[in-house]
Amino acid sequence: QVQLQESGPGLVKPSETLSLTCSVSGYSISSGYYWGWIRQPPGKRLEWIGSVFHSGSTYYNPSLRSRVTISVDTSKNQFSLRLSSVTAADTALYFCARGGRGPHDYWGQGSLVTVSS
Amino acid sequence: EIVLTQSPGTLSLSPGERATLSCRASQSVWSTDLAWYQQKPGQAPRLLMFAASSRATGIPDRFSGSGSGTDFTLTISRLEPEDFAVYYCQQYGSALSITFGQGTRLEIK
């Protein structure tokens, strides 16, 4: 069974960088698929942030591209999100999931990140 | 960016009734690139349908999907108590961006 688990700080100060890691078990990232990040601000719709292939190739939501970096570490079977220059508008529940050039079929439980001083 | 608009915003029905949820795209979407998700409070979304009409693993056959071009539909033939949740459509085929609809809340009448 494929399982994903987000980890990282729950509180980030404005203008700083948000960093989250997704640990994958039950499936080797090296075997394929895109792996992505999706967020959900309180009471709002889901927003795709970006996805990374096991080779390291990425594609991002154009509205966030200038601030987003997604990377993969196949040796640890993890992938990571960095979002720079955060503001209160980046406060959200952040999910990692398998998928990108296809539907997102496995999801983590989500990690709440609050941007506040 | 392809904008997905779902209707209605809220649907109030009773268990045993039929639910029909709509998703309209601002431009044509390949049927192979349309998915539906169910989300319950405090949980991650769960994939229900992909390629517009294919059920994901473990999804009961009371769920069905249809549509093409700009109009897609999720139908739940007979509502069970566990089906009351928020439903999102998603397109994942655009080379520019993956997008989600704003969601339809299915509530018990």
Side-chain angles (χ1 to χ4, degrees), chain A residues 33-70:
Chain A
Y33 283 97
Y34 274 87
W35 302 84
W37 291 94
I38 299 103
R39 69 181 183 179
Q40 187 171 36
K44 294 189 177 181
R45 77 172 72 187
L46 298 160
E47 180 181 34
W48 173 73
I49 299 170
S51 298
V52 61
F53 197 51
H54 66 86
S55 63
S57 64
T58 54
Y59 75 121
Y60 301 130
N61 187 323
S63 69
L64 298 170
R65 181 179 291 127
S66 63
R67 299 193 291 130
V68 173
T69 302
I70 297 176

Side-chain angles (χ1 to χ4, degrees), chain A residues 40 45 48 59 62 100 102 104 108, chain B residues 37 39 44 88 90 98 100 102:
Chain A
Q40 187 171 36
R45 77 172 72 187
W48 173 73
Y59 75 121
H104 294 84
Chain B
Y37 298 84
Q39 187 178 32
Y88 294 95
Q90 176 205 41
I98 293 171
F100 291 87
Q102 85 279 19

Side-chain angles (χ1 to χ4, degrees), chain B residues 22-43:
Chain B
S22 174
C23 177
R24 177 162 290 178
S26 60
Q27 56 188 278
S28 188
V29 173
W30 290 103
S31 297
T32 49
D33 299 334
L34 196 287
W36 290 91
Y37 298 84
Q38 176 193 68
Q39 187 178 32
K40 296 180 179 179
Q43 296 184 16

Side-chain angles (χ1 to χ4, degrees), chain B:
Chain B
E1 172 178 295
I2 298 177
V3 177
L4 300 178
T5 302
Q6 294 184 239
S7 61
T10 301
L11 186 57
S12 299
L13 294 170
S14 300
E17 291 192 294
R18 180 186 186 91
T20 302
L21 288 68
S22 174
C23 177
R24 177 162 290 178
S26 60
Q27 56 188 278
S28 188
V29 173
W30 290 103
S31 297
T32 49
D33 299 334
L34 196 287
W36 290 91
Y37 298 84
Q38 176 193 68
Q39 187 178 32
K40 296 180 179 179
Q43 296 184 16
R46 178 173 72 143
L47 177 66
L48 296 176
M49 312 291 300
F50 63 96
S53 60
S54 297
R55 276 186 298 276
T57 303
I59 302 304
D61 60 8
R62 65 179 181 274
F63 290 90
S64 63
S66 63
S68 63
T70 59
D71 291 295
F72 296 88
T73 300
L74 175 70
T75 301
I76 310 171
S77 59
R78 283 181 58 86
L79 285 166
E80 297 288 343
E82 62 268 26
D83 298 336
F84 292 91
V86 179
Y87 291 82
Y88 294 95
C89 59
Q90 176 205 41
Q91 67 78 25
Y92 46 83
S94 169
L96 292 178
S97 187
I98 293 171
T99 51
F100 291 87
Q102 85 279 19
T104 289
R105 181 179 303 278
L106 179 56
E107 63 177 27
I108 299 177
K109 187 174 182 179

Side-chain angles (χ1 to χ4, degrees), chain A residues 2-104:
Chain A
V2 181
Q3 294 184 314
L4 296 89
Q5 177 70 57
E6 305 89 352
S7 60
L11 181 64
V12 181
K13 290 182 169 56
S15 80
E16 295 190 344
T17 296
L18 178 160
S19 295
L20 293 172
T21 295
C22 184
S23 299
V24 180
S25 60
Y27 188 87
S28 172
I29 288 179
S30 300
S31 296
Y33 283 97
Y34 274 87
W35 302 84
W37 291 94
I38 299 103
R39 69 181 183 179
Q40 187 171 36
K44 294 189 177 181
R45 77 172 72 187
L46 298 160
E47 180 181 34
W48 173 73
I49 299 170
S51 298
V52 61
F53 197 51
H54 66 86
S55 63
S57 64
T58 54
Y59 75 121
Y60 301 130
N61 187 323
S63 69
L64 298 170
R65 181 179 291 127
S66 63
R67 299 193 291 130
V68 173
T69 302
I70 297 176
S71 58
V72 63
D73 186 340
T74 54
S75 67
K76 295 182 178 179
N77 218 35
Q78 296 176 336
F79 61 104
S80 299
L81 168 70
R82 289 174 58 85
L83 180 66
S84 64
S85 305
V86 297
T87 68
D90 296 308
T91 292
L93 188 58
Y94 285 77
F95 296 100
C96 61
R98 188 174 80 169
R101 295 292 187 190
H104 294 84

